Amino acid sequence: MGRLPGGGLAKGLAVTLRTMTRRSITRQYPEVQPDLPPRSRGVIALFEENCTVCMLCARECPDWCIYIDSHKETLPAEGAGRARTRNVLDRFAIDFALCMYCGICIEVCPFDALFWSPEFEYAEYDIAELTHEKERLREWMWTVPPPQAHDPAAEPPKEIAAAAKAAARRRPGAGP
């Protein structure tokens, strides 16, 4: 009750007439770059120095589009200590033809080696060239915006509060 026949058609025509009278906003893309939001997701960037080859990103990726190769390197110990081994990153590649840009790899990385970069112009003519190696991922690292400033009205992190409390107990002249 209360529905008129053709009411939906009338609403659709009204929307069409309203938008026909407005001026269109078209940007000529290659000449005029779009205004992106400050933390927009474009492509995944790699900060190679922070990568410890823990493989968490590759294991958690639902598309299995991250390829990591490494080797172990033995570091001699100073003095009478035992020699240490460490993983050295040989290959880190992301196949952006498979990637669904979910960001799980960035969230699970415990060493802050992966970041979102706002770069979005990485199209290729051949799908095989959408697998980008660590050198290309490193180039995008320099386009990652700095993190937003903390809210001045927020509580300080518990680590800073604990350090301040410990420093207050150890005032100069109070002794160890």
Side-chain angles (χ1 to χ4, degrees):
M1 209 161 140
R3 289 189 173 207
L4 296 174
L9 178 65
K11 282 184 181 179
L13 286 173
V15 170
T16 303
L17 289 173
R18 244 182 296 150
T19 56
M20 280 178 50
T21 59
R22 292 185 190 154
R23 185 177 176 100
S24 65
I25 301 170
T26 304
R27 294 190 180 166
Q28 301 301 321
Y29 165 62
E31 292 83 27
V32 179
Q33 293 293 320
D35 297 327
L36 297 174
R39 300 295 291 177
S40 61
R41 292 181 174 191
V43 72
I44 298 168
L46 170 70
F47 190 56
E48 190 177 343
E49 286 79 17
N50 286 356
C51 184
T52 60
V53 196
C54 65
M55 306 288 275
L56 277 174
C57 55
R59 279 185 289 187
E60 295 296 324
C61 180
D63 292 331
W64 292 84
C65 64
I66 300 175
Y67 310 110
I68 301 174
D69 291 330
S70 67
H71 70 275
K72 291 197 183 263
E73 191 175 82
T74 303
L75 301 173
E78 296 151 9
R82 182 173 50 141
R84 296 178 53 194
T85 61
R86 70 176 190 144
N87 287 330
V88 177
L89 184 65
D90 293 330
R91 179 180 186 225
F92 191 103
I94 299 177
D95 188 353
F96 286 106
L98 296 175
C99 183
M100 64 180 185
Y101 302 92
C102 62
I104 293 174
C105 58
I106 296 169
E107 291 176 22
V108 300
C109 182
F111 302 104
D112 289 333
L114 297 173
F115 295 91
W116 281 115
S117 169
E119 291 294 315
F120 61 92
E121 296 175 326
Y122 55 94
E124 301 288 344
Y125 287 107
D126 185 13
I127 195 168
E129 294 186 23
L130 280 174
T131 301
H132 297 298
E133 299 292 331
K134 65 181 180 179
E135 292 79 21
R136 180 88 186 264
L137 300 174
R138 174 65 175 215
E139 291 173 16
W140 286 323
M141 187 61 212
W142 310 121
T143 63
V144 173
Q148 296 175 352
H150 295 292
D151 183 10
E155 293 180 13
K158 61 183 178 184
E159 295 85 4
I160 294 176
K165 188 186 271 188
R169 278 188 259 136
R170 292 188 176 203
R171 291 234 157 84

